[in-house]
Amino acid sequence: MTTMDIVRTRSKRLTVWLAVPLLAMTALMAWLHYWSSRPIQVGLGIDLPVIYGAVIDPSDKNTADLFLEEHPHSRIRIHHLYNDARPETAAPDLEAAIRQGVRFFVTTHASSHAAPSLHLFADGRALGINVSSASLVLSGEDDFLLRIVPDLRQEQIELARQVEQLPGSRLLVLQDTSNLAWTAPAFAIFSAALSASGRWTLTNHQLMVADFTPATLTELMSAPYDALYLLAGAYMPPIGGLAQLFHQFHPQAPILLTSWARAPAVFEQAGSAIDRLILVGHFPSRHDDHAVDGYLRRFNARFGYVPQGMTLGTRQALELLDQAFAQGHDTPEAVKRYLLATPTHQTSLGPITFDPYGDLVGGFHTLNDLRRELQ
């Protein structure tokens, strides 16, 4: 074998030796890229109608559709969940999704549904961001269910503060019984906060808002009152009907709504009472905030309607998960650690500030020109 042959042989061996680790490195890089960019399922709650036979509200589904259209490189893939009006179905439905491999959720459960499902987020099997439960049962828990709405203590103290600014002394409270996990403790905190001044006399009447009939409330509504507080939520249109009925007897009296009534259907059913409505919300009026207005305009242009207010929180929750996934955090433990390590996160609709337990720390916005919200 000539010297040249020896050189060629050694060169070939060197090429092979170099190629093997290079191929291994390439394969490793391809595997790491796939692993860091693979799709991640996120369960998203879509509310079934409270009233049998009513149309399903597509607001949250369309919120996710718009988000993914505007973020085509997001790792999020939506796993649709349907929230039955019966609270006892919430935990089994979530459990079924977890068994199917879903580890992240944007839960739109009300308090009546969220409280009995809390154990599913206790051990890190799954992480949820709740956008609609104000229950104190969720407050101060070191678990894997974060929340981007204030709890009912913050909420009701603010509502009592709003009432204190109104003229008069006689307040009618209509308390919905379909979600007593929220309305019962909410009324207790509200009435205690309002009693501090000693100015207000409260009349509390419980009813199933979704099934109310005007004839059964005429005597109650026609009694002398200076204001009405509708302690009801779930964006039910009958809230507007109750406001309109009260307005017929008390055309100048203010009517206070919770943030959970921020929906075009509620305002439309209020009729002429819309000009007396005061809503304490989690987001500012679209006419005072360019980000909120821009989002609602894009949503309306894409789907042909204005969504109910909770979908603003749904959008923020999707953005928070997307930010975590983009940083490479893809387990419930890692996402929780990421979200709580930096208490304040920026979203396109405003900042989200968590306390050490993953509960929202935030202010409220008073909306008293709700006719504009329909424009």
Side-chain angles (χ1 to χ4, degrees), residues 122-165:
D123 59 4
R125 282 194 304 157
L127 178 138
I129 299 179
N130 180 275
V131 301
S132 59
S133 173
S135 173
L136 294 176
V137 174
L138 278 64
S139 300
E141 294 292 325
D142 185 16
D143 56 15
F144 289 81
L145 185 61
L146 285 66
R147 178 167 50 178
I148 56 174
V149 292
D151 68 23
L152 64 85
R153 185 177 303 279
Q154 300 177 67
E155 172 188 89
Q156 296 303 312
I157 289 174
E158 174 60 23
L159 283 156
R161 191 185 71 82
Q162 292 286 336
V163 172
E164 289 286 17
Q165 299 178 27

Side-chain angles (χ1 to χ4, degrees), residues 61-300:
K61 178 185 182 303
N62 290 157
T63 296
D65 293 337
L66 183 61
F67 174 80
L68 293 177
E69 289 173 9
E70 295 181 344
H71 297 80
H73 302 297
S74 174
R75 298 175 66 183
I76 291 176
R77 298 295 181 271
I78 298 298
H79 177 96
H80 292 120
L81 300 168
Y82 291 92
N83 301 332
D84 192 286
R86 297 167 297 168
E88 64 271 19
T89 66
D93 288 347
L94 285 171
E95 184 70 64
I98 293 172
R99 286 198 302 269
Q100 294 174 42
V102 181
R103 293 292 176 263
F104 300 95
F105 296 87
V106 175
T107 67
T108 57
H109 284 147
S111 297
S112 58
H113 293 59
S117 305
L118 196 57
H119 65 283
L120 298 175
F121 299 98
D123 59 4
R125 282 194 304 157
L127 178 138
I129 299 179
N130 180 275
V131 301
S132 59
S133 173
S135 173
L136 294 176
V137 174
L138 278 64
S139 300
E141 294 292 325
D142 185 16
D143 56 15
F144 289 81
L145 185 61
L146 285 66
R147 178 167 50 178
I148 56 174
V149 292
D151 68 23
L152 64 85
R153 185 177 303 279
Q154 300 177 67
E155 172 188 89
Q156 296 303 312
I157 289 174
E158 174 60 23
L159 283 156
R161 191 185 71 82
Q162 292 286 336
V163 172
E164 289 286 17
Q165 299 178 27
L166 301 176
S169 61
R170 298 163 300 184
L171 177 68
L172 173 62
V173 180
L174 295 182
Q175 178 190 348
D176 182 36
T177 57
S178 68
N179 187 10
L180 285 172
W182 167 53
T183 64
F187 177 74
I189 291 172
F190 172 81
S191 57
L194 204 60
S195 66
S197 69
R199 178 163 65 97
W200 289 90
T201 299
L202 273 62
T203 299
N204 182 36
H205 180 79
Q206 296 186 346
L207 76 164
M208 185 75 74
V209 166
D211 299 329
F212 94 91
T213 54
T216 62
L217 294 175
T218 299
E219 183 177 355
L220 175 71
M221 292 283 207
S222 61
Y225 298 109
D226 299 306
L228 169 66
Y229 172 28
L230 280 162
L231 180 48
Y235 310 98
M236 293 182 289
I239 293 172
L242 284 167
Q244 184 173 171
L245 180 61
F246 180 81
H247 182 68
Q248 292 177 11
F249 298 105
H250 310 281
Q252 300 305 314
I255 301 169
L256 196 66
L257 303 181
T258 72
S259 182
W260 313 110
R262 188 173 182 170
V266 172
F267 306 154
E268 289 166 356
Q269 285 214 12
S272 59
I274 191 171
D275 297 318
R276 306 304 300 166
L277 299 180
I278 301 171
L279 186 144
V280 176
H282 303 143
F283 295 91
S285 166
R286 63 182 301 178
H287 299 284
D288 299 327
D289 189 289
H290 293 302
V292 171
D293 184 56
Y295 170 72
L296 293 176
R297 287 182 182 276
R298 298 196 313 275
F299 191 105
N300 194 16

